[in-house]
């Protein structure tokens, strides 16, 4: 068998290498930390730690910039990145998108943490904007549910309950019951920081920056873009309206230069 025949035979066994994201759909990449319960057990406060939040936000911003996404959302150890509908990097090859996105976030998070961390990646496809909005509303609702449960679980643990006892006590409790449990411990869930209950959003914003035209020596205003980090996200319909505006702005405007994230 000559080298050309061997090459063709080997490539024919790469079963999914030709699988591409559907055209005219909005791709969303969702990434999750692998075994993060062990990864974060001794490093961060429970149930929430702003240091861990900042690591996730930093990795999310890196992913948004590297893949030129429209909007990114992170909560807990999860990231969702919305890509443009006509996004064409890597020829929209599924294997490339999944592997490279997981690699970017794993590398960025590990470098910031100072220890190895791994993320897995998957793809969601939305044929229209309304489903994209529903997707992010779904993830935000999940963030709120997880935050409430997490606060209840760690509140019970800190009162002396074992893992099994805390899990059993919460297994049949409704959201109202969980809120009442926290209230009896002096915690009003609605008063907790929004980023804990609603997650954090990252998106591009435009701004003007003064510079000197080297040809004339005159001061001119140039259009730039930077990543805005929103830790005070709205909810439900207001959140959907905000996302609609971000998507519309991204579709209609072009920003030639990227600058460091704005906090």
């Amino acid at each position: 068998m000559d080298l050309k025949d061997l090459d063709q035979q080997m490539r024919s066994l790469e079963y999914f290498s030709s699988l591409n994201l559907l055209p005219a759909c909005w791709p969303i990449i969702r990434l999750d930390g692998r075994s993060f319960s062990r990864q974060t057990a001794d490093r961060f406060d429970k149930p929430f730690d702003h240091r861990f939040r900042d690591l996730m936000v930093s990795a999310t911003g890196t992913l948004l910039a590297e893949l030129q996404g429209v909007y990114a959302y992170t909560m807990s150890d999860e990231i969702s990145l919305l890509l443009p509908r006509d996004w064409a990097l890597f020829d929209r090859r599924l294997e490339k998108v999944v592997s490279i996105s997981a690699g970017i976030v794993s590398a960025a998070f590990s470098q910031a943490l100072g220890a190895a961390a791994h993320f897995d990646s998957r793809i969601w496809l939305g044929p229209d904007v309304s489903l994209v909005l529903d997707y992010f509303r779904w993830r935000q609702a999940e963030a709120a549910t997880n935050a409430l449960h997490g606060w209840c679980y760690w509140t019970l643990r800190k009162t002396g309950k074992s893992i099994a006892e805390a899990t059993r006590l919460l297994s049949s409790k409704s959201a109202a019951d969980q809120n009442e449990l926290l209230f009896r411990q002096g915690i009003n869930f609605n008063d907790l920081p929004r980023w804990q209950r609603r997650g954090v959003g990252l998106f591009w914003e435009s701004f003007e920056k003064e510079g000197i035209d080297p040809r004339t020596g005159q001061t001119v205003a140039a259009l730039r873009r930077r990543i805005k980090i929103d830790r005070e996200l709205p909810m439900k319909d207001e959140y959907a309206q905000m996302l609609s505006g971000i998507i519309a702005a991204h579709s209609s405007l072009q920003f030639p230069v990227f600058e460091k994230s704005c906090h």
Side-chain angles (χ1 to χ4, degrees):
M1 181 181 294
D2 64 24
L3 182 58
K4 182 178 180 180
D5 291 338
L6 179 62
D7 181 73
Q8 290 178 344
Q9 182 182 10
M10 293 300 102
R11 290 185 183 279
S12 71
L13 297 175
E14 294 179 347
Y15 288 109
F16 302 105
S17 62
S18 62
L19 187 59
N20 289 51
L21 305 183
L22 291 173
C25 284
W26 293 89
I28 294 178
I29 309 172
R30 187 161 88 246
L31 303 102
D32 290 282
R34 177 176 175 269
S35 302
F36 262 41
S37 294
R38 294 198 307 270
Q39 181 72 259
T40 62
D42 301 323
R43 286 186 170 94
F44 303 104
D45 296 332
K46 301 293 185 179
F48 289 94
D49 191 317
H50 72 275
R51 295 170 298 170
F52 179 79
R53 175 205 65 191
D54 290 345
L55 288 173
M56 288 298 300
V57 168
S58 177
T60 301
T62 299
L63 185 69
L64 177 62
E66 288 284 341
L67 297 188
Q68 293 298 292
V70 177
Y71 175 75
Y73 172 78
T74 180
M75 58 95 162
S76 184
D77 64 347
E78 176 183 305
I79 297 170
S80 292
L81 174 69
L82 173 64
L83 300 172
R85 192 172 195 165
D86 59 353
W87 191 77
L89 287 180
F90 318 121
D91 296 322
R92 294 174 73 96
R93 289 173 58 193
L94 178 62
E95 281 190 336
K96 286 281 191 178
V97 178
V98 168
S99 61
I100 290 175
S101 61
I104 290 171
V105 173
S106 297
F109 190 92
S110 296
Q111 185 176 35
L113 180 65
H118 311 119
F119 286 78
D120 63 58
S121 180
R122 72 201 75 177
I123 297 293
W124 179 95
L125 292 173
D128 57 54
V129 171
S130 64
L131 283 172
V132 170
L133 302 181
D134 285 344
Y135 172 91
F136 283 103
R137 291 175 63 167
W138 167 50
R139 299 321 302 150
Q140 191 183 62
E142 185 76 7
T145 298
N146 292 346
L148 178 59
H149 185 274
W151 264 100
C152 288
Y153 175 81
W154 286 105
T155 297
L156 290 171
R157 291 295 309 280
K158 289 173 183 178
T159 62
K161 296 292 189 293
S162 67
I163 294 174
E165 288 172 329
T167 301
R168 177 178 55 80
L169 286 169
L170 291 175
S171 63
S172 60
K173 286 192 179 296
S174 65
D177 292 335
Q178 292 179 65
N179 273 285
E180 180 60 28
L181 183 155
L182 291 179
F183 194 74
R184 289 199 299 269
Q185 297 295 324
I187 302 169
N188 186 330
F189 183 71
N190 291 326
D191 290 340
L192 295 173
R194 281 194 181 187
W195 65 266
Q196 296 184 13
R197 297 178 286 123
R198 304 182 186 182
V200 179
L202 295 86
F203 50 92
W204 299 102
E205 66 174 2
S206 61
F207 69 102
E208 287 189 349
K209 182 176 182 179
E210 287 191 351
I212 304 296
D213 187 330
R215 298 167 300 179
T216 65
Q218 294 181 333
T219 300
V220 295
L223 190 64
R224 298 289 187 265
R225 72 170 180 172
R226 60 192 172 195
I227 295 174
K228 179 177 175 60
I229 300 169
D230 192 341
R231 302 182 185 89
E232 300 287 330
L233 292 175
M235 292 177 63
K236 299 180 180 179
D237 289 345
E238 190 178 350
Y239 183 44
Q241 291 172 6
M242 185 195 90
L243 291 177
S244 293
I246 291 170
I247 293 170
H250 191 279
S251 300
S252 62
L253 296 176
Q254 295 294 322
F255 303 107
V257 178
F258 164 64
E259 297 232 347
K260 189 176 179 180
S261 300
C262 173
H263 297 272

